[in-house]
Amino acid sequence: MKRVTKAILPVAGLGTRFLPATKAIPKEMLTVVDKPLIQYVIEEAAEAGITEIILVTHSSKGSIENHFDKNYELESELKAKGKNDRLKLLEDILPKGVKIISVRQPEALGLGHAILCAKPVLADDEPFAVMLPDVLMYHPQQGCLAQMMEVYTENKTSTIALEAVAEQDVEKYGIAGVKLINTGLKITQLVEKPTIDKAPSNLSVVGRYIFTPRLMPLLKRTKKGLGEEIQLTDAMDKLLEEESMFGFEFIDGKSYDCGDKLGYLKANVEYALRDKKLSSSFKDYLADITNTN
Ligand code: G1P
């Protein structure tokens, strides 16, 4: 089995759930404390051994590429002023050894279609990761994708991150049917945003995936599904007819759905509470306003 070195990050979506904030700013560039969402996700990718990030992007999303590119003017200004700590922040934006490639998704035909747009930059026999940048995966020790790589290496099958959600939330996510076997959580079924009565479980697909090369040809054949979009979940469900797939339950970390306003606010509060420099004064501030309100 080939090593996974490429991760596809679909960023072409227009982020209409977050208007007006995302009118001129890509939703992936919204900040959590002091870094844009996508920077956290690329750090998680790098920790898992990913060396190439494939952005599937849109003409309005140029600031994402700019963020990870060099800005000579800013760097030389900081250098001239001796502001080395700030210079270091810039140098650390793109993890060492990671390259970014962009491909365009010409039409908004769904997540499955976005992933298919990256096919030309993958070899036919190449496994790959998919990371949805509006989902932040906090983990105190080892990132979610790095942990999934271990499951992938052991089982040599596609591996997807799962997290239990409240019953009323199953219709917001891809939901997996699973069977517990001695090598882990074997996926038996995948349904995109089912109603409660059609949901095979309450285990949601959280936005981190590792796929064998077989997924791409199946995606190519996938017809429009829910919402008249080409759904990644539908191609994954087809993959189950040919290969095994395992779930990685993300239990000892925490995910934040930052495509949702409440999820985004929770991420900001909790990441600020974990930030060494901010946490103490932020805690005092929160205690203060919760007492007075
Ligand atoms: C997408 C996927 C869904 C997955 C979710 C995770 O949905 O289609 O299967 O559970 O991301 O965030 P979206 O949030 O783009 O509607």
Side-chain angles (χ1 to χ4, degrees):
M1 197 59 133
K2 274 195 162 182
R3 269 188 57 220
V4 182
T5 59
K6 293 181 184 161
I8 303 172
L9 274 62
V11 297
L14 294 179
T16 50
R17 274 201 282 171
F18 239 111
L19 283 170
T22 50
K23 183 167 177 249
I25 296 170
K27 61 175 177 167
E28 298 78 11
M29 290 299 289
L30 293 175
T31 49
V32 167
V33 186
D34 57 358
K35 281 193 283 193
L37 286 169
I38 192 156
Q39 192 174 333
Y40 289 94
V41 179
I42 290 184
E43 284 168 2
E44 183 191 333
E47 189 203 331
I50 297 292
T51 52
E52 273 179 66
I53 300 288
I54 305 163
L55 298 176
V56 180
T57 187
H58 178 267
S59 58
S60 64
K61 303 272 188 131
S63 62
I64 299 179
E65 282 124 319
N66 293 345
H67 183 69
F68 292 98
D69 201 355
K70 251 191 160 0
N71 182 333
Y72 287 105
E73 204 181 342
L74 188 56
E75 287 186 19
S76 58
E77 177 116 1
L78 291 175
K79 236 178 246 168
K81 290 188 174 152
K83 297 196 166 158
N84 293 330
D85 48 344
R86 293 191 189 171
L87 192 60
K88 172 94 175 61
L89 290 177
L90 290 189
E91 287 165 357
D92 289 346
I93 290 178
L94 184 64
K96 301 269 168 303
V98 174
K99 277 188 291 190
I100 298 202
I101 301 169
S102 297
V103 294
R104 289 277 174 100
Q105 184 184 20
E107 286 173 276
L109 296 178
L111 177 59
H113 175 257
I115 306 305
L116 196 56
C117 291
K119 189 173 182 293
V121 286
L122 290 169
D124 288 345
D125 62 347
E126 193 168 10
F128 57 95
V130 171
M131 305 175 85
L132 306 187
D134 47 11
V135 185
L136 280 192
M137 298 292 224
Y138 170 76
H139 197 282
Q141 264 111 37
Q142 194 187 22
C144 180
L145 193 69
Q147 293 191 52
M148 289 170 67
M149 286 290 188
E150 289 175 6
V151 179
Y152 164 80
T153 310
E154 199 161 311
N155 293 336
K156 299 178 182 60
T157 67
S158 295
T159 304
I160 58 174
L162 299 175
E163 199 172 46
V165 289
E167 276 207 338
Q168 70 269 20
D169 287 335
V170 296
E171 55 188 47
K172 294 189 195 158
Y173 300 100
I175 299 292
V178 296
K179 198 168 127 191
L180 186 62
I181 62 168
N182 55 3
T183 45
L185 272 185
K186 193 168 188 286
I187 311 286
T188 55
Q189 191 192 356
L190 287 153
V191 199
E192 180 66 8
K193 306 191 174 98
T195 49
I196 291 188
D197 54 313
K198 300 255 165 58
S201 77
N202 70 335
L203 287 175
S204 73
V205 178
V206 213
R208 299 292 185 270
Y209 315 74
I210 297 173
F211 290 119
T212 62
R214 192 61 203 136
L215 184 83
M216 281 294 182
L218 291 175
L219 257 181
K220 209 168 171 190
R221 281 197 248 136
T222 303
K223 304 241 168 6
K224 284 182 183 168
L226 187 76
E228 285 299 289
E229 292 187 342
I230 297 173
Q231 296 291 351
L232 174 62
T233 307
D234 293 347
M236 288 160 62
D237 192 53
K238 280 272 168 254
L239 184 60
L240 294 177
E241 291 171 15
E242 300 186 12
E243 296 180 353
S244 299
M245 186 185 294
F246 279 86
F248 165 73
E249 214 180 342
F250 189 59
I251 329 176
D252 47 356
K254 190 165 179 187
S255 78
Y256 299 86
D257 181 1
C258 295
D260 171 78
K261 283 178 198 163
L262 187 61
Y264 175 69
L265 287 174
K266 286 181 185 170
N268 262 297
V269 171
E270 294 183 30
Y271 275 70
L273 287 172
R274 290 183 196 116
D275 184 287
K276 277 192 208 103
K277 286 194 186 139
L278 281 175
S279 100
S280 155
S281 44
F282 190 53
K283 231 179 246 166
D284 291 347
Y285 166 73
L286 286 182
D288 207 30
I289 54 164
T290 24
N291 284 338
T292 43
N293 286 320

